[in-house]
């Protein structure tokens, strides 16, 4: 799994970090997370923060307090002027160290992959009581988010989702023009990508050009559009030795194998940005900021290609969350701040600034990047899939499986193993590592 940081979209870059956590012990109340009735919505408790309160935000990827205020805090303090924020990072210590020293933290930025870490550290919480008290409507979230949030922690809600990120499909317009190949269009399939890769992979006047390759293999597994589990959460065993997984990986590999980019060529992003010899790539939709600030790169974006067996369905989202640890000294104020950041009004503002909304409202999705000059003339709407795939069932061992799948993908792409052998070996590695981790933790 994978999390990333960008200068404009700091929060979107949630690189996967394994900090370790344990459950708060609160029992889930199924009623608190059910859709609100019209009468319930009419009797929402009026929130009040009647004294100066500072909320401490833990963000280990370099965001400053000023940066947080410019991106998010300004919207919260407009509604709650008694609130202020302080952002701390790894210079203040690891999360484990902060917990051990009883340092107060009110928010932890991370994706859904951080749940196990929260539980292992003993700071996971359940916000269901506050969701009920303030009649917070979870149904406003994108359906893929709502369903996942209700299920991934046995009905307990440890965080409020802030934004989404997923894969996008980028291309170099100059290389398409150079070789007379029509630009990629929205609603392509991976067969279309294969055909374009074949036309664009060539040696021209002694310079080698490649059609397609990807930077984020592990993410392709984690956000696969078929919602296939990587690890079965019921058995804690690998779940990818199936015909559907083989077919999916084959479709992903084929256009890259045609291009034949070897590991010796280096980073695929460097080949796309600096060398400008890679015509197409798939990477996170937040990476548009990197491309926009790369001199001489004439790039654009198309809808992420869909699978023949799932037409029109985009990848799964990674959910960037505001975790509120059980140790927070300002739990209710933190909840109200998170609720405000996920409100339609603020989500519209964030969408205009290029952050993918967690809400189901298509009007908010349609204004994505509207305030960003770097997206002028670009197919910006293609960065946000109209329909996201459902999230796969949560497993605390999913990053073990995705790592093994990444190795399998690369072995097949490089011609070192066939798909059956690679997946069988990956399953053995996954199951062995899961057992090792269980023996170490006793769980």
């Amino acid at each position: 799994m994978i999390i990333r940081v960008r200068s404009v979209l700091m929060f979107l870059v949630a690189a996967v970090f394994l900090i370790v956590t344990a459950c708060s012990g609160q029992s889930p109340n199924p009623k608190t997370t059910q859709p609100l009735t019209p009468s319930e919505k009419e009797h929402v408790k009026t929130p009040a923060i009647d004294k100066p309160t500072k909320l401490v935000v833990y963000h280990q990827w370099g965001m400053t307090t000023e940066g947080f205020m410019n991106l998010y805090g300004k919207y919260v303090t407009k509604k709650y002027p008694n609130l202020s924020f302080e952002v701390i990072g790894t210079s203040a210590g690891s999360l484990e160290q902060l917990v051990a020293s009883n340092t107060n933290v009110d928010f932890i930025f991370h994706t859904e992959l951080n749940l196990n870490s929260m539980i292992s550290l003993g700071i996971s919480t359940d916000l269901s009581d506050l969701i009920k008290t303030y009649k917070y409507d979870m149904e406003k979230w994108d359906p893929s988010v709502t369903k996942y949030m209700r299920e991934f922690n046995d009905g307990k809600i440890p965080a409020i989702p802030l934004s989404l990120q997923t894969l996008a499909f980028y291309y170099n317009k100059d290389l398409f023009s150079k070789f007379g190949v029509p630009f990629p269009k929205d609603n392509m399939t991976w067969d279309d990508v294969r055909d374009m890769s074949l036309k664009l992979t060539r040696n021209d006047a002694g310079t080698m050009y490649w059609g397609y390759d990807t930077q984020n293999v592990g993410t392709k597994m984690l956000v696969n559009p078929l919602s296939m589990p990587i690890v079965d959460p019921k058995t804690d065993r690998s779940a990818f030795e199936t015909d559907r997984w083989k077919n999916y990986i084959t479709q992903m590999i084929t256009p890259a194998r045609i291009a034949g980019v070897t590991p010796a060529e280096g980073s695929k992003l460097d080949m796309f940005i600096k060398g400008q010899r890679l015509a197409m790539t798939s990477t996170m939709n937040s990476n548009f900021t990197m491309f926009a600030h790369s001199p001489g790169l004439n790039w654009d974006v198309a809808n992420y290609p869909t699978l023949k067996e799932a037409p029109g369905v985009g990848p799964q989202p990674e959910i960037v969350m505001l975790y509120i640890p059980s140790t927070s000294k300002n739990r209710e104020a933190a909840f109200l701040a998170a609720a405000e950041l996920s409100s339609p009004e603020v989500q519209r503002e964030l969408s205009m600034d290029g952050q993918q909304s967690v809400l189901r409202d298509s009007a908010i999705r349609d204004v994505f990047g509207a305030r960003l000059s770097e997206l002028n003339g670009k197919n910006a709407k293609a960065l946000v899939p109209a329909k996201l795939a459902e999230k796969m069932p949560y497993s605390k061992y999913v990053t073990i499986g995705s790592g093994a799948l990444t190795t399998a993908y690369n072995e097949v792409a490089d011609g070192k193993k066939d798909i059956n052998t690679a997946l069988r070996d990956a399953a053995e590695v996954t199951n062995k590592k899961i057992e090792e981790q269980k023996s170490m933790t006793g769980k």
Side-chain angles (χ1 to χ4, degrees):
M1 170 58 218
I2 315 145
I3 323 270
R4 304 146 188 88
V5 182
R6 298 290 173 264
S7 58
V8 178
L9 305 175
M10 292 280 191
F11 81 98
L12 278 178
V13 211
V16 175
F17 79 111
L18 297 176
I19 41 180
V20 188
T21 55
C23 173
S24 65
Q26 299 182 28
S27 299
N29 182 350
K31 291 182 65 178
T32 64
T33 56
Q34 293 305 305
L36 300 177
T37 65
S39 61
E40 285 179 322
K41 291 180 181 179
E42 291 176 3
H43 297 88
V44 177
K45 178 180 176 180
T46 302
I49 300 173
D50 54 9
K51 62 181 180 180
T53 303
K54 181 173 72 175
L55 299 178
V56 179
V57 181
Y58 185 75
H59 194 294
Q60 82 250 40
W61 303 291
M63 180 178 282
T64 63
T65 298
E66 181 182 8
F68 178 87
M69 292 304 299
N70 287 336
L71 283 172
Y72 313 110
K74 61 185 179 183
Y75 299 116
V76 178
T77 55
K78 181 178 180 180
K79 181 168 184 177
Y80 302 113
N82 277 328
L83 284 183
S84 62
F85 294 89
E86 178 188 1
V87 177
I88 62 175
T90 52
S91 61
S94 67
L95 191 57
E96 292 90 338
Q97 291 171 328
L98 296 178
V99 171
S101 63
N102 295 317
T103 301
N104 182 56
V105 174
D106 299 299
F107 283 128
I108 298 169
F109 266 77
H110 216 286
T111 68
E112 67 274 11
L113 295 179
N114 192 45
L115 175 63
N116 187 48
S117 301
M118 299 282 292
I119 291 174
S120 298
L121 269 177
I123 58 173
S124 183
T125 190
D126 183 8
L127 302 175
S128 296
D129 58 330
L130 293 174
I131 289 171
K132 181 178 182 180
T133 296
Y134 288 102
K135 303 298 187 290
Y136 181 88
D137 187 8
M138 293 169 57
E139 293 301 311
K140 67 184 179 183
W141 300 335
D142 184 275
S144 64
V145 176
T146 303
K147 183 176 185 294
Y148 186 74
M149 291 294 289
R150 292 188 190 284
E151 296 176 353
F152 92 125
N153 191 30
D154 296 325
K156 300 173 185 174
I157 310 297
I160 297 297
L162 174 64
S163 63
L164 306 177
Q165 57 184 4
T166 193
L167 289 168
F169 187 85
Y170 302 90
Y171 62 96
N172 184 318
K173 296 175 71 173
D174 288 344
L175 291 185
F176 276 81
S177 298
K178 178 181 178 69
F179 297 122
V181 179
F183 293 153
K185 297 180 180 180
D186 289 340
N187 305 315
M188 298 182 299
T189 66
W190 284 100
D191 284 347
D192 296 323
V193 178
R194 176 201 62 201
D195 294 343
M196 288 186 292
S197 185
L198 188 61
K199 295 175 182 177
L200 290 158
T201 299
R202 62 179 72 187
N203 189 305
D204 182 74
T207 300
M208 188 65 203
Y209 295 90
W210 294 274
Y212 168 83
D213 212 325
T214 184
Q215 182 71 16
N216 299 91
V217 174
T219 304
K220 279 180 175 286
M221 307 304 145
L222 289 166
V223 302
N224 72 85
L226 300 178
S227 307
M228 297 178 291
I230 293 176
V231 174
D232 186 332
K234 295 180 180 178
T235 64
D236 293 336
R237 304 283 290 178
S238 65
F240 47 75
E241 283 189 276
T242 67
D243 288 341
R244 293 184 82 210
W245 265 111
K246 292 174 187 177
N247 182 55
Y248 172 68
I249 292 175
T250 299
Q251 288 189 64
M252 298 300 99
I253 284 178
T254 298
R257 290 193 74 175
I258 288 172
V261 184
T262 65
E265 300 297 333
S267 163
K268 308 303 188 300
L269 281 181
D270 281 348
M271 291 174 59
F272 185 79
I273 297 171
K274 297 177 182 178
Q276 296 190 25
R277 293 189 293 151
L278 181 63
M280 301 175 287
T281 192
S282 52
T283 185
M284 301 307 293
N285 58 356
S286 56
N287 275 343
F288 75 84
T289 57
M290 181 190 306
F291 301 147
H293 294 93
S294 300
L297 180 62
N298 186 14
W299 66 279
D300 209 337
V301 61
N303 287 148
Y304 191 75
T306 60
L307 300 168
K308 292 177 289 188
E309 55 269 50
V313 179
Q316 300 171 54
E318 285 184 347
I319 309 172
V320 179
M321 300 194 191
L322 289 171
Y323 286 91
I324 301 175
S326 59
T327 51
S328 168
K329 296 178 181 178
N330 306 292
R331 182 172 177 267
E332 189 164 1
F335 172 81
L336 292 174
E340 180 63 13
L341 287 173
S342 65
S343 68
E345 296 78 14
V346 175
Q347 285 285 302
R348 178 179 174 82
E349 297 290 331
L350 296 178
S351 180
M352 293 176 72
D353 285 336
Q355 302 185 28
Q356 185 177 347
S357 176
V358 298
L359 304 186
R360 64 168 64 230
D361 190 338
S362 61
I364 293 176
R365 182 177 65 240
D366 289 345
V367 299
F368 179 87
R371 274 201 289 257
L372 300 179
S373 60
E374 54 261 53
L375 289 178
N376 288 345
K378 306 296 183 184
N379 185 19
K381 289 184 179 180
L383 288 166
V384 183
K387 183 178 182 181
L388 293 163
E390 285 190 0
K391 294 283 294 177
M392 71 173 78
Y394 174 78
S395 165
K396 60 185 177 182
Y397 302 112
V398 70
T399 55
I400 293 176
S402 66
L405 274 177
T406 298
T407 298
Y409 176 103
N410 290 329
E411 288 172 338
V412 176
D414 296 339
K416 296 178 179 179
K417 292 181 181 180
D418 64 82
I419 185 71
N420 291 315
T421 302
L423 288 184
R424 183 177 65 248
D425 291 348
E428 291 178 0
V429 169
T430 298
N431 294 333
K432 181 179 179 180
K433 287 186 176 181
I434 289 174
E435 291 305 315
E436 289 174 350
Q437 185 167 321
K438 282 185 171 183
S439 65
M440 292 174 61
T441 61
K443 297 179 181 180

